[in-house]
Amino acid sequence: MARVFSGIQPTGDIHIGNYLGAVRNWVKLQDEHECIFSIVDLHAMTIPYDAKAMPREVLDKAATLIACGIDPERSILYVQSHVREHTELCWILNTITPLGQLERMTQFKDKARQHKQNVNAGLLNYPILQAADILLYKAEMVPVGEDQTQHLELTRDLARKFNHLFGETFPEPKTLLPEHAARVMALNDPTSKMSKSVPGSYIALHAEPDEIRALVRRAVTDTGPAGDAMSPGVANLFTLLQEFSAPDVVAGFRAAYEDGTLRYVDLKQQLAEDIVKALAPIRERRAALLADLDTLRDMLRDGAERARAIAREVMAEVREKTGLVLG
Ligand code: TYM
């Protein structure tokens, strides 16, 4: 069974972009792969965050992922910082990463622009920690949304470079994008991606029905004069419709768009109701899981133990190959 690894940050709400871009694929992959999913708290520390709120944020993400269908018995679900080997491998990979490649990362440039007061070294080294996450388990496949492809290219570069310098150790992991919705756009600005850090841009997986309706109603459709091509806002709504609504419903709205009779209010109303229906079971399961935090903590402790068993073995090999073992 090929090994799969992926991660999600604990800060902010898990939204339909995360779900369609990544989490839905994670759930499917569990059937035929050995899956490891991590709540990456060390990554979340690279931008200002509330330390007191962090433990609850982590438990909340665990509950949401399990509510989506991640099975903590079949898969390994754990918190990144609970397996210390991540930071050790990160350091070793640091020493073989070209600074220029880090400085060219789109996500680094975006975040450095957003957080001008706090361009810390962690923000620059973020993708090295991500590479360490994946290589620590010798994962072969990494299911993510499109915004992570550049980080995964770096991961492959580092695997290749490490293997070249120290001998064959890591497989070069494949990026696994979803067929559709690899990049869900923000509802309030369809030229940027839907993002946890921008309120109004996203629908949280635990959003209440009325909140979902209001967010979809306010979604930007056409911003400028109508051209020949579908505007980004309308295209994004069609992407969501494709994912949440029945095929005949999608076909009906597409036909209306083609012959110029589409009313955005109708499209939005239908879409909102279909999202409400799809998210209801996730919202309910999440609430039930959050009512028993001790069980969630136990699940994560067990996940960390299973992850550590693999991580220890790989790090023993890495230490040996990099000359850190005295013999
Ligand atoms: P994060 O927490 O930002 O997002 C988690 C997953 O959701 C996907 N995603 C989206 N997909 C489609 N449309 C969107 N608008 C959208 N927004 C987010 C992301 O691509 C991601 O797959 N750096 C990673 C976390 C990470 C990781 C890893 C991932 C740390 N180590 C190792 C894979 C492997 C991140 O910030 O994801």
Side-chain angles (χ1 to χ4, degrees):
M1 275 207 298
R3 193 175 281 159
V4 168
F5 181 94
S6 202
I8 190 161
Q9 296 199 53
T11 39
D13 297 329
I14 302 190
H15 53 66
I16 58 172
N18 300 129
Y19 182 71
L20 299 174
V23 178
R24 190 174 51 170
N25 251 346
W26 302 4
V27 173
K28 277 192 225 143
L29 285 161
Q30 295 180 112
D31 294 336
E32 286 171 17
H33 300 83
E34 182 189 350
C35 291
I36 307 175
F37 302 118
S38 186
I39 299 170
V40 294
D41 51 352
L42 299 172
H43 276 111
M45 294 172 75
T46 56
I47 57 172
Y49 74 101
D50 179 354
K52 286 211 180 69
M54 182 68 107
R56 175 67 196 211
E57 288 267 44
V58 168
L59 292 169
D60 176 84
K61 280 344 95 109
T64 308
L65 292 174
I66 297 169
C68 286
I70 298 301
D71 176 355
E73 297 206 341
R74 262 194 305 163
S75 300
I76 296 180
L77 176 66
Y78 76 102
V79 183
Q80 183 189 36
S81 68
H82 296 180
V83 179
R84 310 264 165 105
E85 284 80 359
H86 285 258
T87 44
E88 188 183 356
L89 182 57
C90 178
W91 178 260
I92 292 174
L93 296 178
N94 250 304
T95 64
I96 62 167
T97 309
L99 186 56
Q101 199 171 356
L102 294 177
E103 286 167 340
R104 282 195 298 276
M105 291 282 153
T106 319
Q107 200 156 307
F108 169 68
K109 288 193 276 185
D110 285 350
K111 286 200 180 159
R113 219 176 292 124
Q114 280 166 25
H115 301 276
K116 281 202 181 70
Q117 311 309 323
N118 182 22
V119 185
N120 61 78
L123 208 52
L124 182 72
N125 292 341
Y126 181 113
I128 307 179
L129 181 59
Q130 181 161 348
D133 295 343
I134 299 163
L135 301 182
L136 185 56
Y137 302 96
K138 298 193 176 184
E140 290 153 85
M141 275 191 281
V142 186
V144 286
E146 197 187 69
D147 61 343
Q148 298 301 316
T149 50
Q150 202 182 23
H151 288 167
L152 295 189
E153 271 164 39
L154 175 75
T155 304
R156 283 189 290 274
D157 289 349
L158 293 181
R160 209 174 305 125
K161 193 158 175 189
F162 186 99
N163 292 345
H164 176 71
L165 289 168
F166 302 109
E168 196 61 32
T169 310
F170 299 118
E172 288 180 34
K174 281 197 195 71
T175 307
L176 212 72
L177 295 179
E179 231 172 284
H180 307 284
R183 186 179 180 82
V184 177
M185 306 310 281
L187 294 175
N188 59 354
D189 171 14
T191 58
S192 325
K193 72 168 184 187
M194 181 175 281
S195 160
K196 296 184 190 126
S197 55
V198 185
S201 81
Y202 68 83
I203 297 174
L205 290 187
H206 62 265
E208 294 292 336
D210 279 344
E211 208 181 328
I212 297 175
R213 293 185 186 105
L215 284 160
V216 175
R217 200 180 318 120
R218 285 198 294 267
V220 172
T221 46
D222 292 335
T223 40
D228 283 344
M230 196 183 264
S231 73
V234 178
N236 196 38
L237 292 180
F238 267 106
T239 299
L240 296 177
L241 197 72
Q242 179 99 36
E243 301 305 316
F244 288 104
S245 304
D248 57 321
V249 172
V250 184
F253 281 108
R254 279 217 182 274
Y257 177 83
E258 298 299 336
D259 64 24
T261 58
L262 175 67
R263 290 177 0 134
Y264 295 143
V265 270
D266 298 336
L267 171 70
K268 286 178 169 181
Q269 228 164 39
Q270 175 80 42
L271 176 61
E273 293 316 313
D274 289 335
I275 295 178
V276 166
K277 225 181 288 158
L279 298 191
I282 296 178
R283 192 180 65 246
E284 285 157 20
R285 280 198 294 269
R286 170 179 172 275
L289 287 156
L290 283 174
D292 182 3
L293 295 181
D294 280 341
T295 300
L296 280 175
R297 286 190 196 97
D298 285 347
M299 284 174 179
L300 292 173
R301 200 170 301 126
D302 173 64
E305 261 169 42
R306 287 153 64 204
R308 218 176 282 129
I310 305 171
R312 276 205 188 119
E313 241 176 73
V314 175
M315 275 316 295
E317 183 186 348
V318 168
R319 282 189 211 111
E320 170 87 43
K321 287 191 165 147
T322 50
L324 303 178
V325 178
L326 297 184

